[in-house]
Amino acid sequence: MTFPDAVEDFHPTHVVPQDGMPAWEFPDASRPTVPLDPFLPVQLLSRRGDWSEVLCANGWSAWVDGRLLVVVPQPPPTADGKQPARGEDPRPLLARSTQTVERYRRAVEELGSGRTDAEAFRRSVRGLRAGIVLDGESVWLYDEAAGRWLYGDGNHLSTYAVAAGPGASPDAETDPVGVQLDVLPDGADVPPAGPVGHAPTQIVDDPGTK
């Protein structure tokens, strides 16, 4: 087996989680490839919904569940005034979760007081989802839009677990430099993305299909 040459300008932006992670040739769960090793440094090339295309130092590229990638700490602020990323601000998700719980509480109050019936109650809470676990300074929040659980310590949030495998977003996404990615119609083949010259990782048989 031959491997592509190492990437001279490789600059890791993320590392693989400590348990490793599955990878795919394209953003398609039916096209698995060699899984990535724990703590492997990778460079983010592009995003498409939950999917992220990453480049390894040896020149191989693959698609992974980008929600699980661990961000590499950035260097101190530079002359352009930009602050290093510290993870997500917990306040917006806390506010949305609180609003959802409050809507459910009001619906329960209406049902319990007899001002509404069971059918009206079911209609009023249909589609509501929220998840909050508080333990002192620690909080676990469910992000319905991204299908993931996040952990926070009061200062920032980081992905803790995902509810399902990666899936393409119905809306167009942008890559790390703000270039819009095309969204293909249902059933269309997904072409390889990213800079030309980055070879995909080796394709392997999916044990679950045998």
Side-chain angles (χ1 to χ4, degrees):
M1 180 185 297
T2 60
F3 292 89
D5 297 333
V7 180
E8 294 183 0
D9 60 346
F10 177 75
H11 298 291
T13 59
H14 297 74
V15 296
V16 173
Q18 63 181 357
D19 295 328
M21 66 188 312
W24 294 267
E25 181 189 12
F26 299 122
D28 180 349
S30 67
R31 300 294 297 274
T33 184
V34 177
L36 302 185
D37 294 332
F39 302 114
L40 177 71
V42 296
Q43 180 178 338
L44 179 64
L45 297 179
S46 62
R47 290 192 180 98
R48 184 172 295 175
D50 298 337
W51 296 95
S52 290
E53 185 188 22
V54 296
L55 175 68
C56 303
N58 65 358
W60 289 112
S61 65
W63 290 84
V64 300
D65 187 342
R67 299 170 296 177
L68 297 175
L69 291 172
V70 180
V71 178
V72 173
Q74 300 299 309
T78 57
D80 60 9
K82 293 182 179 178
Q83 297 294 321
R86 294 196 59 228
E88 299 181 47
D89 186 342
R91 289 172 295 181
L93 184 53
L94 275 169
R96 293 199 303 271
S97 299
T98 302
Q99 291 167 1
T100 301
V101 172
E102 177 59 21
R103 285 181 58 188
Y104 187 85
R105 187 200 65 78
R106 290 198 302 265
V108 169
E109 178 65 27
E110 292 285 321
L111 179 63
S113 64
R115 293 193 295 269
T116 188
D117 58 23
E119 180 57 30
F121 170 75
R122 283 192 292 269
R123 288 197 304 268
S124 66
V125 299
R126 185 174 297 138
L128 290 183
R129 287 188 179 87
I132 304 176
V133 178
L134 286 172
D135 183 12
E137 66 179 16
S138 299
V139 62
W140 288 263
L141 296 170
Y142 181 65
D143 182 357
E144 179 188 359
R148 58 177 177 162
W149 281 90
L150 298 100
Y151 169 78
D153 59 4
N155 290 313
H156 66 278
L157 296 172
S158 57
T159 299
Y160 178 78
V162 296
S169 170
D171 300 320
E173 299 289 339
T174 56
D175 68 9
V177 295
V179 179
Q180 184 175 6
L181 299 175
D182 293 332
V183 176
L184 301 177
D186 292 341
D189 293 333
V190 180
V196 176
H198 295 141
T201 48
Q202 180 187 12
I203 303 173
V204 297
D205 292 332
D206 184 357
T209 61
K210 294 184 178 179

